[in-house]
Amino acid sequence: MKRPFWLLCSTTLTLALLASCESSKPATDVSASAGSTSPAAARTAASGESMESNGIRLTPLSDSPKYPEAQMQLRAPIAGATLQSGEVAFDYQITNFQLTKMSGGPNMTQMANSMKGQHIHNIVDNEPYSAHYETRFSKAIPDGQHVVLSFLSRSYHESLKHRGAYDLRIINVGSATPAPATPMADLKAPHLFYSRPKDTYAGADAKRIMLDFYLVNTTLEPGGNRVRATINGIEFMIDRWLPYQMEGLPAGENTVKLELVDSSGTMIPGPYNSVTRTFTVAP
């Protein structure tokens, strides 16, 4: 028996609408099925954010508490000043950031954390930093010209990396030693400073160790400037300025070499753009 024309049209229209609705489902409906990979996860895997070689894994950390309004100003010593030999007095003004506070967040419980809380990293001539929990302190600095980098740090030693969170300047110590005609560093040039790891890690702190460095006057990006991190002779190329969690490090002495390089892998000139440090993982 022949169906009425209106019924055929209605059936055809219904099928077309069903097909249209099915094709308009979001991709997440499909990716949520067992064994599938979401587009976001695929991009993360393809971008190589987590790197592993010879048992050592580097994983970027981007989920720390953010302090975008934090500001730090070094009021003394004055940039370019000539100071008396011996102890140098530092005086900082800090806003929207509380020293001695615990930073919180997932990374605080996974890596070495200072029980004194948030602090200032003070680095002279790219030597190992000293941590300070007050805005005023004195520090012995040898006679001569020196480059001083200061930046705000979370309680687990991860640096704040925005412009207002750091200060870089040159000072002269010891009036008997005249300042050189040419400063020891061009503060407008790209610079790499080493921060972590440092000293000895034991127990739970040794499972995940933070690699963190500080950049001035440069950025990192694929196809641009990068940081070449050589860990126990194993090379990793870093193209994002983030802290990295290191796993799989052996007990005993470990070595990290950091180099600021251009797109071709050539080191960018600068007094601190290549630095090698050792630290210890306790058995």
Side-chain angles (χ1 to χ4, degrees), residues 26-269:
T28 50
D29 287 356
V30 178
S31 64
S33 60
S36 66
T37 303
S38 70
R43 286 195 297 271
T44 300
S47 68
E49 286 186 336
S50 182
M51 300 174 283
E52 184 170 358
S53 180
N54 288 19
I56 297 177
R57 176 182 297 172
L58 258 64
T59 304
L61 304 176
S62 58
D63 53 354
S64 295
K66 304 296 188 291
Y67 301 95
E69 303 302 321
Q71 297 288 311
M72 181 189 72
Q73 179 185 3
L74 179 54
R75 297 187 291 194
I78 298 173
T82 298
L83 312 167
Q84 292 184 351
S85 298
E87 297 277 328
V88 173
F90 288 87
D91 182 6
Y92 296 85
Q93 180 177 343
I94 296 174
T95 55
N96 302 316
F97 188 79
Q98 182 180 337
L99 299 181
T100 73
K101 176 185 175 182
M102 289 298 169
S103 298
N107 298 327
M108 190 181 82
T109 59
Q110 294 184 9
M111 284 171 291
N113 181 69
S114 172
M115 298 311 296
K116 295 181 180 180
Q118 298 178 155
H119 50 279
I120 299 167
H121 279 205
N122 180 284
I123 298 175
V124 179
D125 301 332
N126 208 22
E127 292 296 316
Y129 69 82
S130 56
H132 301 275
Y133 299 84
E134 297 179 351
T135 56
R136 294 182 179 181
F137 58 87
S138 294
K139 180 175 177 176
I141 298 179
D143 286 359
Q145 188 172 90
H146 302 280
V147 175
V148 179
L149 170 70
S150 310
F151 57 81
L152 298 175
S153 171
R154 296 171 177 85
S155 60
Y156 45 92
H157 307 286
E158 179 189 334
S159 59
L160 271 62
K161 297 176 172 61
H162 59 273
R163 179 61 188 91
Y166 82 93
D167 179 273
L168 181 66
R169 65 184 57 190
I170 292 176
I171 62 172
N172 303 287
V173 179
S175 56
T177 304
T182 302
M184 62 185 300
D186 178 2
L187 299 190
K188 296 182 179 181
H191 291 288
L192 163 70
F193 294 87
Y194 184 103
S195 183
R196 299 282 288 186
K198 178 187 178 187
D199 298 333
T200 299
Y201 297 81
D205 291 346
K207 294 180 180 179
R208 303 177 183 90
I209 296 176
M210 177 180 292
L211 173 67
D212 199 21
F213 50 86
Y214 217 86
L215 298 174
V216 179
N217 301 324
T218 187
T219 57
L220 304 183
E221 60 184 353
N225 290 350
R226 295 167 292 170
V227 168
R228 180 164 52 220
T230 305
I231 304 169
N232 295 340
I234 302 167
E235 183 180 297
F236 298 88
M237 284 301 232
I238 295 174
D239 57 20
R240 298 177 65 194
W241 187 19
L242 291 170
Y244 284 76
Q245 175 181 280
M246 298 186 292
E247 298 175 275
L249 298 171
E253 186 177 85
N254 289 260
T255 301
V256 170
K257 181 179 182 181
L258 298 179
E259 299 169 283
L260 181 62
V261 300
D262 62 18
S263 59
S264 66
T266 302
M267 200 186 83
I268 296 173

